[in-house]
């Protein structure tokens, strides 16, 4: 095992990050490479951040790239790609690469620097020498004069202030860094020390968070039987209105509403976010699709299994919060209802299979447009539903002795612990078949690789539940548009198969009048019409005035609700009790 003192002597790559102009959103980075034995070195910057499946082109934020010899004389280099610089190192044993990074994008996956703090999302800050992903490195942070703290999952180097060791670049790139005056507190759970860095103020109760977050950690650790960390860091950024999270190897970055902690619904939602990102410690960061590691930081890393990696995690986040006693069983079922209605009513669910949604995340999920709801489905929502089906199937088949927990633990032990690699699609399918006790070829054909409507009645029936259609009178007229909220009646979405879709209303059309009437609330006007009514829409389309004739159709959407069967059998009651820990 490498000690800190050994690390200091063995790392041939050392970084120094400082902040001479934080108010202008810049980080100053120096990368010193020693013990050079090649005539040339190419340094590169990743183009994406693992866990966020979009090529973000981090090198676009680089400026002032320079290279110097040990005596500070300039060294020749050439930019050869969008994210790569080739350096002439012939006759040199060390060089220092200097560059600045502009960081002013608020999200959990991109760096942000201002006068108050610096959040460093490592893939957008640090370069690496090509071919040296497995090399160790040291990172020294020099906080701005007004800042006093650094929070990161990286291993601190003894005796050196704000200096950290990364065994390889995969670890460095998976370790965000918060620099500033964050409010830091700790709690212990599952034998792990947890650090929480609260950034940007808020009305949170530290003692309550310590207790409640610890419950989530314990519940999730119990599923897998072990916690893979000794130290874990939550970096929580507070905003007027914020959310989202991104998982890392032994840390996570969360977005939260600054004054939301005293609102019960918002607070439970925050705990669900904690549960989601923490569950990724196992599902994704260790139990992972084979394509997701080792990473190619230059290109997209394709997998058809994000519905497991993210969708199952989205299922477990609310389930864990319910197991911890924060959600009631009825509240958990209401989330399931929400996913059922979203997936059933989204036109894209009949167009894009779940496996394709995973594979095409790079070009569709993270790049939505006005037509996305008509052509795509979320691997989060539908993947969560698939998890619920398999959970119920396993509990039913095992007569309450096992659940999806057991399948996930088995896969974790088999592929991460025993084989030290990711799983293939076929291997994970075999795991589900093993625990569900049935062949899943048709299940995969219909629900994973196809677009058939899910038979919820079958799976909910295992737990003595049923899905009931509570849809209002289908004679309600339906236009099928979404309007902007800027005071103008501008169309922002047209639903596939709707009256607007069929008769030619377009996104960006401004509705000026209907049947000669100036209308301030278009949707209210439509609701008062008769089914089948023929309406003349006067529109402004790119400065041209047109009349579009539209015939109103019935509302196609369903409103599904989960209800209990009147007389569930003892076996059904047992499944429900196992599922929701009643």
């Amino acid at each position: 095992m490498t000690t800190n003192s050994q690390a200091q002597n063995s790392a041939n790559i050392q970084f120094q990050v400082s902040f001479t102009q934080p108010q202008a959103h810049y980080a100053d980075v120096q990368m010193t490479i020693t013990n050079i034995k090649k005539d040339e070195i190419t340094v590169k910057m990743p183009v994406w951040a693992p866990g966020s499946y979009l090529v973000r082109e981090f090198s676009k934020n680089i400026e002032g790239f320079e290279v110097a010899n040990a005596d500070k004389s300039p060294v020749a280099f050439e930019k050869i790609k969008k994210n790569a610089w080739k350096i002439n190192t012939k006759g040199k044993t060390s060089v220092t690469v200097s560059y600045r990074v502009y960081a002013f994008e608020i999200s959990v996956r991109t760096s942000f620097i201002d006068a108050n703090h610096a959040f460093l999302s490592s893939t957008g800050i640090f370069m690496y020498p090509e071919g040296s992903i497995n090399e160790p490195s040291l990172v020294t942070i020099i906080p701005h004069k007004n800042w006093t703290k650094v929070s990161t999952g990286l291993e601190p180097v003894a005796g050196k202030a704000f200096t950290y060791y990364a065994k390889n670049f995969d670890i460095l790139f998976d370790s965000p860094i918060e620099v500033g005056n964050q409010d830091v507190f700790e709690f212990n759970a599952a034998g792990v020390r947890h650090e929480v860095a609260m950034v940007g103020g808020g009305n949170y109760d530290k003692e309550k968070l310590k207790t409640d977050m610890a419950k989530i950690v314990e519940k999730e650790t119990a599923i897998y039987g072990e916690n893979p960390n000794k130290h874990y860091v939550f970096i929580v950024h507070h905003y007027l209105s914020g959310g989202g999270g991104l998982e890392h190897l032994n840390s996570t970055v969360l977005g939260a509403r600054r004054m939301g902690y005293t609102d019960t619904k918002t607070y439970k939602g925050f705990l669900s976010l904690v549960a989601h990102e923490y569950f990724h410690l196992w599902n994704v960061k260790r139990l992972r699709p084979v394509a997701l590691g080792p990473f190619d930081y230059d290109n997209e890393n394709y997998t058809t299994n994000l519905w497991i990696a993210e969708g199952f995690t989205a299922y477990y986040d609310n389930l864990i919060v319910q197991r911890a006693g924060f959600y009631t069983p009825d509240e958990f079922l209401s989330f399931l209802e929400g996913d059922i209605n979203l997936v059933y009513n989204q036109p894209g669910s009949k167009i894009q299979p779940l496996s394709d949604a995973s594979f095409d995340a790079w070009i569709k999920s993270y790049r939505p447009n006005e037509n996305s709801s008509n052509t795509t489905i979320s691997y989060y929502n539908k993947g969560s539903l698939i998890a619920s089906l398999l959970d119920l199937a396993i509990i039913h088949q095992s007569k309450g002795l096992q659940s999806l927990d057991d399948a996930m633990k088995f896969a974790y032990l088999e592929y991460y612990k025993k084989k030290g690699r990711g799983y293939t699609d076929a291997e994970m399918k075999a795991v589900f078949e093993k625990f569900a006790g049935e062949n899943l070829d048709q299940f995969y054909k219909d629900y994973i690789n196809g677009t058939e409507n899910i038979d919820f009645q079958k799976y909910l029936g295992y737990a003595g539940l049923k899905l009931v259609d509570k849809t209002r009178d289908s004679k309600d007229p339906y236009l099928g548009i979404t309007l902007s909220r800027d005071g103008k009646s501008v169309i922002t979405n047209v639903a596939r198969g709707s009256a607007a879709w069929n008769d030619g209303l377009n996104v960006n059309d401004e509705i000026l009048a209907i049947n000669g009437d100036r209308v301030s609330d278009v949707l209210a006007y439509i609701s008062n019409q008769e089914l089948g009514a023929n309406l003349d829409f006067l529109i402004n389309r790119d400065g041209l005035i047109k009349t579009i004739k539209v015939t109103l159709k019935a509302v196609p959407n369903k409103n599904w609700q989960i209800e209990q069967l009147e007389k569930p059998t003892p076996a059904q009651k047992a499944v429900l009790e196992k599922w929701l820990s009643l």
Side-chain angles (χ1 to χ4, degrees):
M1 179 178 177
T2 303
T3 65
N4 280 327
S5 59
Q6 289 174 326
Q8 294 177 55
N9 294 324
S10 65
N12 293 322
I13 304 167
Q14 300 192 20
F15 294 94
Q16 177 182 286
V17 185
S18 58
F19 310 92
T20 55
Q21 292 181 310
Q23 82 290 346
H25 323 299
Y26 280 95
D28 304 286
V29 183
Q30 287 189 342
M31 175 188 189
T32 299
I33 308 171
T34 57
N35 291 326
I36 297 173
K37 295 180 174 61
K38 299 179 180 178
D39 289 345
E40 62 182 33
I41 291 176
T42 297
V43 296
K44 306 171 81 173
M45 174 160 277
V47 303
W48 69 289
S52 180
Y53 306 100
L54 176 68
V55 172
R56 296 183 182 275
E57 310 291 19
F58 293 121
S59 57
K60 68 185 177 184
N61 296 317
I62 300 300
E63 62 182 74
F65 186 97
E66 297 178 348
V67 186
N69 208 337
D71 62 5
K72 298 187 179 180
S73 60
V75 173
F77 68 89
E78 176 188 5
K79 188 171 185 179
I80 57 173
K81 289 176 60 176
K82 64 184 180 182
N83 68 323
W85 293 258
K86 182 163 57 176
I87 303 169
N88 180 2
T89 55
K90 187 173 183 179
K92 302 172 182 65
T93 58
S94 69
V95 294
T96 295
V97 179
S98 301
Y99 55 93
R100 306 186 82 201
V101 182
Y102 180 73
F104 196 56
E105 182 179 349
I106 294 177
S107 83
V108 295
R109 49 198 168 263
T110 51
S111 299
F112 179 90
I113 301 169
D114 66 9
N116 296 317
H117 76 114
F119 169 62
L120 308 180
S121 182
S122 296
T123 46
I125 298 293
F126 300 107
M127 297 186 185
Y128 67 98
E130 187 173 38
S132 298
I133 284 290
N134 293 321
E135 291 296 313
S137 63
L138 289 180
V139 176
T140 298
I141 304 295
I142 302 177
H144 185 62
K145 62 182 179 180
N146 298 323
W147 302 341
T148 61
K149 298 176 183 177
V150 174
S151 297
T152 180
L154 288 170
E155 180 184 353
V157 174
K160 286 196 172 186
F162 303 135
T163 299
Y164 305 89
Y165 172 70
K167 186 169 67 173
N168 54 52
F169 276 88
D170 285 322
I171 290 176
L172 177 59
F173 290 150
D174 212 9
S175 302
I177 303 169
E178 177 65 33
V179 190
N181 298 307
Q182 57 269 28
D183 182 17
V184 178
F185 63 89
E186 295 185 355
F187 67 89
N188 290 301
V192 177
R193 178 173 66 87
H194 294 78
E195 175 186 340
V196 184
M198 305 296 264
V199 183
N203 61 348
Y204 51 88
D205 181 332
K206 294 183 192 179
E207 296 307 313
K208 181 174 176 59
L209 280 171
K210 289 178 186 179
T211 300
D212 294 348
M213 293 170 75
K215 290 179 181 178
I216 291 169
V217 169
E218 296 284 359
K219 290 293 183 182
E220 293 189 348
T221 302
I223 293 173
Y224 293 94
E226 66 174 24
N227 195 301
N229 291 318
K230 294 180 179 180
H231 173 221
Y232 187 91
V233 179
F234 293 93
I235 299 172
V236 186
H237 292 143
H238 293 98
Y239 308 102
L240 180 63
S241 178
L246 187 64
E247 70 276 4
H248 296 281
L249 194 65
N250 69 334
S251 63
T252 185
V253 185
L254 310 177
R257 187 153 68 90
R258 184 176 294 116
M259 305 307 289
Y261 289 91
T262 54
D263 178 81
T264 300
K265 181 178 179 181
T266 303
Y267 182 66
K268 290 180 180 180
F270 175 75
L271 293 180
S272 182
L273 178 61
V274 169
H276 183 102
E277 302 307 334
Y278 202 85
F279 195 82
H280 275 314
L281 271 187
W282 299 273
N283 190 33
V284 168
K285 300 315 300 182
R286 291 165 177 85
L287 171 61
R288 57 175 175 78
V290 70
L292 297 185
F295 292 115
D296 177 354
Y297 293 103
D298 280 347
N299 302 288
E300 297 87 346
N301 292 225
Y302 293 102
T303 174
T304 57
N305 291 130
L306 292 182
W307 60 274
I308 300 174
E310 290 291 352
F312 279 38
T313 305
Y315 170 69
Y316 269 102
D317 55 24
N318 288 326
L319 186 62
I320 291 295
V321 176
Q322 187 264 328
R323 287 181 184 176
F326 301 110
Y327 284 139
T328 66
D330 284 343
E331 285 178 308
F332 171 75
L333 291 177
S334 73
F335 289 114
L336 194 63
E337 281 178 359
D339 280 340
I340 291 171
N341 281 294
L342 186 151
V343 170
Y344 186 93
N345 292 322
Q346 184 158 318
S349 68
K350 303 300 294 180
I351 303 297
Q352 185 184 53
L354 192 51
S355 55
D356 286 1
S358 299
F359 194 85
D360 284 340
W362 298 91
I363 58 173
K364 294 188 176 183
S365 180
Y366 281 88
R367 286 195 175 109
N369 61 26
E370 67 283 349
N371 198 44
S372 292
S373 62
N374 291 319
T375 62
T376 65
I377 195 65
S378 167
Y379 48 76
Y380 284 87
N381 300 105
K382 191 172 182 181
S384 177
L385 292 178
I386 296 300
S388 70
L389 305 186
L390 291 171
D391 202 2
L392 287 166
I394 294 169
I395 297 171
H396 168 75
Q397 189 277 335
S398 68
K399 294 181 169 47
L401 297 179
Q402 293 182 314
S403 70
L404 186 59
D405 291 10
D406 298 281
M408 298 299 285
K409 180 179 180 180
F410 174 87
Y412 170 77
L413 295 174
E414 180 71 13
Y415 295 107
Y416 173 68
K417 296 286 288 187
K418 181 178 176 181
K419 296 184 177 179
R421 62 169 175 83
Y423 57 79
T424 65
D425 184 73
E427 287 171 337
M428 206 61 187
K429 176 174 176 284
V431 171
F432 297 145
E433 289 177 331
K434 169 183 173 69
F435 284 86
E438 61 178 306
N439 181 286
L440 294 177
D441 286 352
Q442 194 65 42
F443 183 95
Y444 265 67
K445 179 181 178 182
D446 291 344
Y447 304 150
I448 310 303
N449 302 315
T451 58
E452 295 298 318
N453 286 333
I454 296 173
D455 185 1
F456 292 106
Q457 303 293 11
K458 171 184 175 180
Y459 293 92
L460 290 173
Y462 292 152
L465 302 172
K466 61 181 178 179
L467 203 58
V468 179
D469 184 0
K470 297 289 187 178
T471 309
R472 292 176 54 199
D473 188 345
S474 61
K475 294 182 180 180
D476 289 344
Y478 175 69
L479 182 58
I481 64 171
T482 304
L483 297 171
S484 64
R485 298 180 181 179
D486 62 0
K488 291 185 178 181
S489 297
V490 178
I491 298 174
T492 57
N493 171 262
V494 179
R496 182 185 293 272
S498 66
W501 173 284
N502 291 338
D503 293 332
L505 288 177
N506 292 176
V507 168
N508 295 328
D509 286 349
E510 180 187 3
I511 299 172
L512 302 175
I514 306 175
N515 280 0
D517 296 328
R518 188 74 172 99
V519 177
S520 60
D521 189 336
V522 173
L523 299 183
Y525 182 94
I526 296 300
S527 68
N528 290 320
Q529 303 302 306
E530 295 293 328
L531 185 63
N534 296 306
L535 305 178
D536 290 335
F537 282 77
L538 185 69
I539 65 166
N540 168 20
R541 181 177 292 173
D542 190 32
L544 301 176
I545 305 303
K546 295 179 177 289
T547 298
I548 305 291
K549 294 183 178 295
V550 178
T551 301
L552 296 182
K553 299 178 66 175
V555 177
N557 293 348
K558 297 290 187 182
N559 178 18
W560 297 106
Q561 290 186 16
I562 298 173
E563 296 182 0
Q564 287 193 332
L565 297 175
E566 292 183 5
K567 295 181 179 179
T569 66
Q572 289 172 321
K573 290 179 180 179
V575 170
L576 183 64
E577 184 172 353
K578 172 72 172 179
W579 185 34
L580 300 184
S581 305
L582 299 175

